[in-house]
Amino acid sequence: DVKVTQSSRYLVKRTGEKVFLECVQDMDHENMFWYRQDPGLGLRLIYFSYDVKMKEKGDIPEGYSVSREKKERFSLILESASTNQTSMYLCASSFEGSYEQYFGPGTRLTVT
Amino acid sequence: AQSVAQPEDQVNVAEGNPLTVKCTYSVSGNPYLFWYVQYPNRGLQFLLKYITGDNLVKGSYGFEAEFNKSQTSFHLKKPSALVSDSALYFCAVRYNFNKFYFGSGTKLNVKP
């Protein structure tokens, strides 16, 4: 079974802190994604990566950056956390060309 | 504009009855359409996809979806609902390379 793991299930941070969310997949998938999930808005794509060191902006990249130094690991970085970044963050991965995404369990981030 | 809509926030159905969760889309070119399910405190799980071919697509857990090009719809169906089907369901459409729009989600409640 494909496994996508996220470093934390719950995280509480203060405004202005730098926040790292880590995601690891074990199926050698080329593509990895970061979404945020908010009630009534569904999932919105923040960034995705199609290869090591390669990334593309999604629909809501402002306030976020990403890093992919190894194929299996994709990190989401909040340079200076703000309260409007309180949300559920979901990581996903997929093989190139399959379009079927495998999701991690999510990290619920609260910024106070 | 590319988009996907789930017009119902919630669908209630009795166990054993057929269920339908609605999805409409707007995308240029041929649509690649997906359904995912999210159980409480878990990430999303892939149910089924339509890329091309037969308009009726069968997926996991007895679910199926019907692609209707003229109505730009991709409704999720199951002939006989189970209490364990109660979850949050998301429709998604691929609109560019590896970018996907997700609907806002529909909460399915199946009552015994």
Side-chain angles (χ1 to χ4, degrees), chain A residues 1-66:
Chain A
D1 279 352
V2 175
K3 196 164 186 183
V4 180
T5 56
Q6 295 183 228
S7 50
S8 306
R9 291 301 302 272
Y10 300 93
L11 210 51
V12 180
K13 296 290 182 181
R14 293 191 181 275
T15 301
E17 279 192 84
K18 191 168 186 176
V19 182
F20 293 86
L21 303 182
E22 302 277 326
C23 174
V24 178
Q25 52 94 3
D26 66 357
M27 280 299 290
D28 204 34
H29 285 169
E30 293 86 0
N31 302 319
M32 297 188 75
F33 306 81
W34 275 107
Y35 295 91
R36 63 176 282 176
Q37 180 181 5
D38 299 289
L41 296 178
L43 277 70
R44 291 177 292 167
L45 181 64
I46 305 172
Y47 269 97
F48 85 93
S49 168
Y50 51 92
D51 202 350
V52 174
K53 298 190 186 296
M54 306 304 288
K55 61 186 179 185
E56 282 204 19
K57 292 180 180 179
D59 300 311
I60 52 164
E62 296 79 18
Y64 303 94
S65 62
V66 290

